[in-house]
Amino acid sequence: MEIYGETLSSRLFLGTAQYPSPAILQEAIAASGAALVTVSMRREGIHGSGAGFWNLLRDTGVRILPNTAGCHSAREAVTTAHMAREVFGTPWIKLEVIGHADTLQPDVFGLVEAAKILSDDGFKVFPYTTDDLVVGERLQAAGCEVLMPWGAPIGSGRGLANPEGLRAMRAHFPELPLVVDAGIGRPSDAAAAMELGLDAVLLNTAVAKAGDPVGMARAMALAVEAGHLGHRADPMERRDMAVPSTPVLGLAELT
């Protein structure tokens, strides 16, 4: 897939928080074949206590997508994004502006404001948003060339809370890359998102908190690939009634 003029080798993006150990994180990244991994700027840096973590990620060879996790205002997110660009040396930024403490739902007003400021400053913005079509249009107008609608609240593992909303986004933005971000709990959730025609899946907790993170990372990779191939294969329409695979016409009559 292509985003901001660059081709990515995988449709699975992986978060890097909450893993049992650095070694398991490295193994999970390798097993997932992820095209990029997200890193919270508030949690890590390349100096001090974060130096070891940064070196670990650099050794994987996977592209880093820093994010503004934990920011609750446009101003805070913009400041964090500038810090991330300086630390990680990339204009790519996953933009989060949280508006609700319990659900971690995006503050879409602050999100659009911050996206406009950052896009004008040369950032390539990956906005964590809702499945609202109007918000999507405003983000696109602000300069975003990708949208990242949530499947369900972050870390909930509930899967796709509103598949019809995601389906509507796909129809409304046929050429814009869409990445389901948050809420994926099982491989079947990831496959379902891809079968809707979305372009990629970003997940973290489902892998990091699994009993076997490495095995789950591989399962998610296969699910994303299967869902994407299934969508491209143009699956049959669902039917209310049974249709025999062997037609009645032409069958032998026994007397």
Side-chain angles (χ1 to χ4, degrees), residues 82-104:
H82 279 90
M83 293 171 59
R85 182 166 63 179
E86 180 177 346
V87 168
F88 294 104
T90 176
W92 284 25
I93 189 75
K94 180 189 171 187
L95 181 61
E96 295 185 23
V97 182
I98 301 302
H100 191 269
D102 291 334
T103 63
L104 301 181

Side-chain angles (χ1 to χ4, degrees), residues 1-9 36 63 91-92 123-126 143-146 175-177:
M1 63 179 297
E2 186 174 293
I3 298 180
Y4 287 113
E6 297 197 29
T7 300
L8 301 178
S9 60
L36 55 79
R63 182 164 192 150
W92 284 25
F123 282 87
K124 310 300 183 183
V125 180
F126 292 65
C144 298
E145 296 182 16
V146 58
E175 303 300 328
L176 201 65

Side-chain angles (χ1 to χ4, degrees), residues 154-236:
I154 293 173
S156 68
R158 286 165 43 191
L160 306 182
N162 185 15
E164 291 307 316
L166 295 174
R167 194 190 307 275
M169 287 197 78
R170 178 72 290 166
H172 194 69
F173 301 101
E175 303 300 328
L176 201 65
L178 299 179
V179 181
V180 171
D181 179 11
I184 299 297
R186 291 168 172 77
S188 55
D189 301 331
M194 299 302 294
E195 287 176 359
L196 289 174
L198 277 76
D199 297 284
V201 169
L202 193 161
L203 53 87
N204 184 169
T205 311
V207 170
K209 291 299 186 181
D212 176 6
V214 177
M216 184 60 75
R218 179 60 179 154
M220 289 295 186
L222 293 172
V224 167
E225 182 179 2
H228 175 63
L229 291 174
H231 173 72
R232 292 186 61 185
D234 190 17
M236 63 176 285

